Amino acid sequence: MIQDLLEFAEHNFKLNKADDNGTKELEHLEQVERQTGIRPEGLEAPPFPNLLSHIWSAFILLHDARTAGFSGPNSLTYESIIAWVRLTGNPLNEKEVKAIKSLDNLYMRMQ
């Protein structure tokens, strides 16, 4: 099921990545759909694994608070995950932390 979440995330990251002009792939594909009336295949996302929505939500909140350096975004640290758990009171088990780190590794590879 984690693989399903990673496939969903990869699609999401690809659509939200900006080109050299700052335009996201999602915006390009939506423009094609508006102009042609045909929904591009790239807009069709893999199904979201609802049972893992808490992991995706935790990742998004951590991602939104991620730091950046001169060369771009920094990876999420275990310390930031621990701080998030303490601040929110939302416990994460070892498998869930590994899933968040896998999502982060995928995001970083796609930058």
Side-chain angles (χ1 to χ4, degrees):
M1 201 176 313
I2 295 296
Q3 187 58 39
D4 295 337
L5 182 58
L6 290 171
E7 289 173 11
F8 173 83
E10 182 175 10
H11 180 78
N12 185 282
F13 298 156
K14 181 181 176 192
L15 285 180
N16 286 293
K17 187 172 182 177
D19 63 16
D20 292 338
N21 296 320
T23 306
K24 295 178 181 178
E25 178 72 13
L26 176 63
E27 294 166 340
H28 285 294
L29 293 174
E30 288 174 337
Q31 183 65 24
V32 168
E33 183 177 28
R34 281 191 295 277
Q35 290 178 350
T36 66
I38 299 170
R39 186 168 180 82
E41 191 175 303
L43 288 176
E44 299 302 326
F48 180 75
N50 289 321
L51 292 175
L52 301 179
S53 63
H54 65 290
I55 295 173
W56 180 248
S57 295
F59 170 76
I60 293 300
L61 290 169
L62 285 159
H63 170 74
D64 287 346
R66 102 171 41 241
T67 62
F70 289 111
S71 60
N74 294 320
S75 295
L76 296 176
T77 64
Y78 287 107
E79 290 81 8
S80 65
I81 295 170
I82 291 167
W84 179 85
V85 167
R86 286 183 181 155
L87 284 170
T88 64
N90 294 322
L92 294 171
N93 65 38
E94 182 181 352
K95 287 183 181 181
E96 293 166 333
V97 171
K98 285 182 181 179
I100 290 169
K101 289 295 286 179
S102 293
L103 288 165
D104 185 51
N105 290 336
L106 175 62
Y107 174 79
M108 294 301 291
R109 279 194 310 272
M110 294 184 72
Q111 292 310 296

